[in-house]
Amino acid sequence: MKRPVENSEQEVLAGLVERVTFHSLESGFCVLRLKARGHRDFVTTIGHAAMISAGEWVTASGDWVNDRTHGLQFRARFLKTSAPTSLDGIEKYLGSGMIRGIGPVYAKRMVKMFGKDVFDLIEAEPTRLREVEGIGPKRADKITSAWADQKVIREIMVFLHSHAVGTARAVRIFKTYGVDAVQVMSENPYRLARDIRGIGFRTADLIAEKLGIEKNAMIRVRAGISYALTEAMGNGHCGLPRKELIPLAIKLLEVPDDLIHTAIELEMSEGTVTADTVGDLPCVFLSGLYHAEKGVADRFQNLNAGPLPWPDIDADKAIPWIEKKTGLTLAETQAEAVRLALRSKVMVITGGPGVGKTTIVNSILQILAAKAVKLLLCAPTGRAAKRMKEATGMEAKTIHRMLEIDPKSFSFKRNEESPLDCDLLVVDESSMVDVSLMHSLLKAVPDHAALLIVGDIDQLPSVGPGQVLADVIGSDAIPVVRLTEVFRQAAQSKIITSAHRINQGQLPDLTKPDGESDFYFVPAEDPDQAVTRILDMVKNRIPKRFGLDPIRDIQVLCPMNRGGVGARSLNIELQAALNPPGENKVERFGSTFAPGDKVMQIENDYDKEVYNGDIGYVEGVDLNEGELTASFDGRTVTYLFGELDTLVLAYAATIHKSQGSEYPAVVIPVLTQHYAMLQRNLLYTGITRGKRLVVIIGQRKAVAIAVKNVSGRRRWSKLDEWLVGGDAA
């Protein structure tokens, strides 16, 4: 069954044909993958064309269709190979938000008054803009200034469009290189892949080819080596074995292996990459990650070797004192953990939900606070820091905020020269911290201070490279408390018992519970049925039965982004069901945003102080000013329309993006459609995000596959070797 999600008016899509997936010579029906302007991801476009081939520039008008099998597609009612030049096209361009001060209303008025001459007039006779109703001196100045800023961008765009690069990327290129953009690209187009988010090696390679750079050119082969290692970094690796890297590079570059070996040697001589071994296996690392891992190991060892920053504490007196103060009796395992912490310079506490991590940490903190020990608490995300503060009653910050990020240099003000002012640093949700961030954090810990690392080793590893928590625990170089006992109160929660069963490789109880429960399984045999049940669950059943707000309290968590039951497709369905956009909306980068929408920031923005994974709510859309405002934890953040590629709808999100967060209720689709992502740690992480309610919707078979699958791919890192005393080759 197909459920089209259609706009009230036809949209225009323009871009480069990346691939012709299907084309019928008889009917002209075609399925295209477009690298479209204004879209982060390739757009699947369906339409009719007599002849079509990869590399052609097409303009299509039509509407969006959300197909439950294939996901979001653009259905082109009209497809041609040249850009529109009509008044309608000009109006659409002007009203798109690219020029601040012009929204759809003013765009219509300007085109009506000046017709096709409007662009020339803005540039040559800007004073005439005031002839348009509603445009006063201030708005005219704003339009003129914005147009001047766009002039260089437009020139760059002409260059880029001739080399198959879309508008959104062109803007990013301009922001990075300014007026030198064309010169930089002409000299070394591969810099784009290194310097600019959203531009990969393949795009840079296409530009290079058009500029006449040979396939075997060393500048290309060296860029390909860095690209292969950067791609590996995206999968969590700090490096790759040579026996993996070289075939990967040959496949990517289509050049002889002797050129690959030469390129690796040249990259090593410049310090871009570093050669070493993992075990007995020769590997190549990105130098930055290699040195970060070595730096993390050195700091752990140095900190651990030093004396305690507090005088000896008699645990036999401290533990009864804290029990009396809190009214809680510590279990023997908890008391032992407190004893170890009071005599350890560096320590790790790991365990799943309901095992008493918070009780132990609170006990340690209160005992040390009574001894006037200076405490600092941090976590990788805003939500995790907030939860930490609520759990301990003490101030907790994000790692970035605590280290005082400098948005201009992307560096931290707190480091070895300007360390943190503390005697003990506590890091929560440490499984999320990648090797680069951990390196920056440890550099800022003063030599005298102690370090307490808290996290759940069984959750998903960090999105960024490395596996710091797993390597630290696996090395046996640092004292570790592993908590496994689920306490009686927690054991009454089916969420917690189900999570632990999954972690032990056992299927959770999926039978219908007698009476009220906090964990439910709702069968759905196919994607269509799953989507229908998810929508009903979020919109009707959970709010009615549990009194929860469908937008603010319920989070749909998906194993992956793609597919009909992926986060992208479900966001469109959920938006239509919960907050259908009215007239006041903005469409950018494949998403429609309107007041009331739940959104997520998908990359760190240090200027705006919003970070990857932060959830907010759209407060307003100003079409004339080209601005959207959203609230994040009560703080209003403003986005220009051109910046909306850092926002996505968040009615549904991936489980990876939910790390460090908790929600009153989570709904998790689990179907064999998600086969590639069905892993035990993924399901475990998803279930442990729910505080009051978890609902799994899908197939028992898919749940069983996830529970059994512990084959998460090995991450190539050397930290555990460094920690047990390995030296660089």
Side-chain angles (χ1 to χ4, degrees):
M1 176 188 166
K2 293 182 180 180
R3 290 186 40 174
V5 178
E6 298 186 3
N7 296 320
S8 57
E9 59 183 35
Q10 295 238 322
E11 276 194 39
V12 175
L13 195 72
L16 190 80
V17 180
E18 181 74 10
R19 187 175 76 237
V20 179
T21 306
F22 175 80
H23 183 228
S24 167
L25 289 171
E26 289 178 18
S27 66
F29 177 77
C30 57
V31 180
L32 311 174
R33 295 278 281 166
L34 286 193
K35 191 180 285 181
R37 288 186 293 194
H39 293 262
R40 268 191 315 274
D41 303 307
F42 289 126
V43 176
T44 300
T45 303
I46 54 176
H48 290 81
M51 293 181 70
I52 194 82
S53 63
E56 286 190 303
W57 187 265
V58 299
T59 303
S61 60
D63 49 25
W64 294 94
V65 176
N66 193 27
D67 185 294
R68 289 204 178 150
T69 305
H70 302 292
L72 190 61
Q73 299 178 335
F74 188 81
R75 183 174 59 196
R77 299 190 187 278
F78 182 65
L79 198 72
K80 65 173 184 173
T81 55
S82 61
T85 55
S86 64
L87 289 175
D88 185 53
I90 294 170
E91 186 183 319
K92 195 175 279 289
Y93 174 83
L94 283 173
S96 68
M98 287 187 72
I99 312 297
R100 289 193 75 187
I102 308 177
V105 173
Y106 289 109
K108 189 179 280 294
R109 290 176 188 172
M110 287 165 69
V111 171
K112 189 176 178 182
M113 179 160 284
F114 303 120
K116 292 183 180 180
D117 298 329
V118 64
F119 294 153
D120 294 334
L121 187 133
I122 296 172
E123 197 158 316
E125 300 178 80
T127 53
R128 289 194 60 197
L129 288 172
R130 292 171 62 181
E131 295 172 22
V132 178
E133 184 192 346
I135 296 183
K138 280 189 178 176
R139 187 174 298 278
D141 288 347
K142 186 182 283 185
I143 293 169
T144 308
S145 168
W147 185 262
D149 290 342
Q150 288 289 328
K151 190 175 178 182
V152 178
I153 298 176
R154 285 197 306 277
E155 288 169 0
I156 293 167
M157 281 178 184
V158 169
F159 176 84
L160 288 172
H161 287 167
S162 66
H163 297 94
V165 180
T167 306
R169 290 189 177 106
V171 173
R172 248 181 247 133
I173 289 167
F174 174 69
K175 280 184 178 175
T176 306
Y177 303 125
V179 294
D180 299 326
V182 172
Q183 186 184 341
V184 168
M185 287 182 301
S186 302
E187 288 174 357
N188 182 3
Y190 296 103
R191 278 188 61 181
L192 301 179
R194 190 182 68 211
D195 298 342
I196 298 170
R197 181 186 62 80
I199 295 184
F201 175 81
R202 294 186 189 283
T203 301
D205 204 30
L206 191 63
I207 296 170
E209 187 184 1
K210 295 211 172 203
L211 289 169
I213 293 174
E214 296 287 333
K215 203 172 193 177
N216 287 357
M218 192 47 65
I219 190 174
R220 177 175 183 265
V221 184
R222 290 177 65 175
I225 299 297
S226 290
Y227 170 70
L229 287 170
T230 304
E231 285 289 287
M233 182 178 81
N235 292 320
H237 305 296
C238 295
L240 281 179
R242 277 181 177 259
K243 66 178 187 182
E244 282 190 30
L245 174 60
I246 288 167
L248 187 68
I250 291 171
K251 186 181 175 184
L252 172 74
L253 298 165
E254 297 175 335
V255 298
D257 62 351
D258 61 321
L259 286 179
I260 305 288
H261 288 285
T262 304
I264 292 173
E265 294 304 315
L266 287 168
E267 289 292 286
M268 282 168 56
S269 67
E270 271 197 18
T272 313
V273 304
T274 301
D276 201 347
T277 56
V278 173
D280 297 326
L281 212 58
C283 293
V284 179
F285 296 83
L286 286 168
S287 292
L289 294 178
Y290 180 84
H291 295 303
E293 284 205 304
K294 183 70 169 73
V296 167
D298 288 345
R299 285 303 292 151
F300 268 122
Q301 289 163 343
N302 291 342
L303 287 168
N304 199 35
L308 283 171
W310 51 79
D312 283 345
I313 297 171
D314 187 341
D316 292 334
K317 290 180 179 175
I319 288 170
W321 175 81
I322 195 66
E323 288 180 327
K324 187 178 178 183
K325 189 176 179 192
T326 59
L328 296 170
T329 303
L330 297 179
E332 186 48 43
T333 53
Q334 292 178 311
E336 191 50 49
V338 172
R339 285 191 188 95
L340 184 60
L342 295 178
R343 61 176 190 265
S344 298
K345 186 83 182 308
V346 180
M347 187 174 110
V348 175
I349 298 175
T350 187
V355 296
K357 290 197 299 291
T358 303
T359 302
I360 295 168
V361 172
N362 272 337
S363 301
I364 296 164
L365 292 175
Q366 291 197 48
I367 292 168
L368 292 175
K371 300 288 184 182
V373 173
K374 286 184 189 173
L375 306 168
L376 275 183
L377 283 62
C378 67
T381 67
R383 289 206 157 196
K386 192 176 176 184
R387 278 172 45 215
M388 199 180 187
K389 184 179 179 179
E390 288 165 357
T392 61
M394 298 181 184
E395 182 64 31
K397 294 181 179 178
T398 65
I399 296 173
H400 285 90
R401 187 161 282 138
M402 188 182 70
L403 295 179
E404 298 174 31
I405 185 80
D406 181 355
K408 291 183 177 65
S409 64
F410 295 106
S411 60
F412 296 109
K413 293 175 185 175
R414 294 288 187 175
N415 48 37
E416 35 296 63
E417 279 80 42
S418 177
L420 297 164
D421 183 18
C422 66
D423 300 317
L424 172 68
L425 176 68
V426 184
V427 187
D428 200 10
E429 294 285 358
S430 58
S431 62
M432 296 177 64
V433 184
D434 64 34
V435 69
S436 301
L437 185 57
M438 184 61 82
H439 187 219
S440 296
L441 180 61
L442 293 180
K443 281 195 292 187
V445 178
D447 288 337
H448 79 273
L451 183 65
L452 178 59
I453 305 281
V454 185
D456 185 348
I457 187 63
D458 296 310
Q459 282 191 33
L460 288 165
S462 59
V463 174
Q467 46 190 16
V468 177
L469 182 62
D471 280 344
V472 169
I473 292 172
S475 72
D476 289 327
I478 304 292
V480 176
V481 172
R482 297 171 184 263
L483 302 167
T484 54
E485 183 188 350
V486 180
F487 290 100
R488 191 171 61 205
Q489 190 178 354
Q492 293 169 357
S493 162
K494 228 179 138 187
I495 294 174
I496 289 172
T497 54
S498 298
H500 283 277
R501 281 184 68 88
I502 288 166
N503 209 18
Q504 292 155 12
Q506 300 171 16
L507 201 64
D509 181 4
L510 301 180
T511 57
K512 190 175 178 181
D514 296 325
E516 286 290 314
S517 177
D518 60 359
F519 181 89
Y520 295 87
F521 174 75
V522 177
E525 289 311 309
D526 56 55
D528 270 0
Q529 196 177 54
V531 172
T532 302
R533 292 190 170 170
I534 290 166
L535 293 174
D536 182 46
M537 194 64 65
V538 174
K539 188 177 180 181
N540 303 313
R541 291 178 65 181
I542 293 175
K544 190 175 175 182
R545 188 162 176 182
F546 296 91
L548 295 173
D549 183 279
I551 295 177
R552 291 184 177 263
D553 295 334
I554 305 170
Q555 185 62 53
V556 178
L557 294 178
C558 305
M560 58 202 298
N561 261 314
R562 296 188 305 276
V565 203
R568 278 194 207 112
S569 182
L570 279 174
N571 266 318
I572 295 163
E573 301 268 10
L574 287 160
Q575 183 188 44
L578 302 175
N579 190 47
E583 287 299 308
N584 193 26
K585 64 183 179 184
V586 55
E587 296 173 26
R588 282 292 181 281
F589 308 107
S591 295
T592 301
F593 302 104
D597 274 332
K598 185 182 194 175
V599 291
M600 180 185 284
Q601 178 77 12
I602 58 167
E603 66 178 59
N604 293 336
D605 188 322
Y606 302 111
D607 286 320
K608 290 184 172 51
E609 292 187 26
V610 281
Y611 303 102
N612 192 351
D614 285 357
I615 284 181
Y617 301 89
V618 177
E619 291 181 332
V621 173
D622 190 327
L623 295 171
N624 285 324
E625 295 301 320
E627 292 178 348
L628 176 147
T629 51
S631 169
F632 291 87
D633 282 329
R635 197 170 60 85
T636 297
V637 178
T638 300
Y639 296 82
L640 300 178
F641 286 172
E643 298 173 326
L644 293 177
D645 60 336
T646 64
L647 276 189
V648 293
L649 294 172
Y651 300 98
T654 63
I655 294 171
H656 279 89
K657 286 288 188 189
S658 73
Q659 286 176 270
S661 296
E662 276 188 348
Y663 312 93
V666 299
V667 176
I668 308 173
V670 182
L671 293 103
T672 52
Q673 188 186 66
H674 303 136
Y675 188 83
M677 297 298 292
L678 293 179
Q679 292 167 3
R680 186 184 295 175
N681 59 358
L682 189 90
L683 186 58
Y684 172 81
T685 302
I687 286 172
T688 54
R689 301 307 90 201
K691 283 196 291 190
R692 287 177 55 188
L693 179 67
V694 172
V695 181
I696 293 177
I697 297 179
Q699 302 152 334
R700 290 172 188 270
K701 179 184 175 183
V703 176
I705 291 169
V707 171
K708 286 176 187 169
N709 185 10
V710 287
S711 64
R713 196 176 169 206
R714 171 182 181 174
R715 290 191 166 192
W716 291 101
S717 72
K718 196 176 169 73
L719 177 58
D720 55 344
E721 289 186 34
W722 293 131
L723 285 163
V724 294
D727 291 315

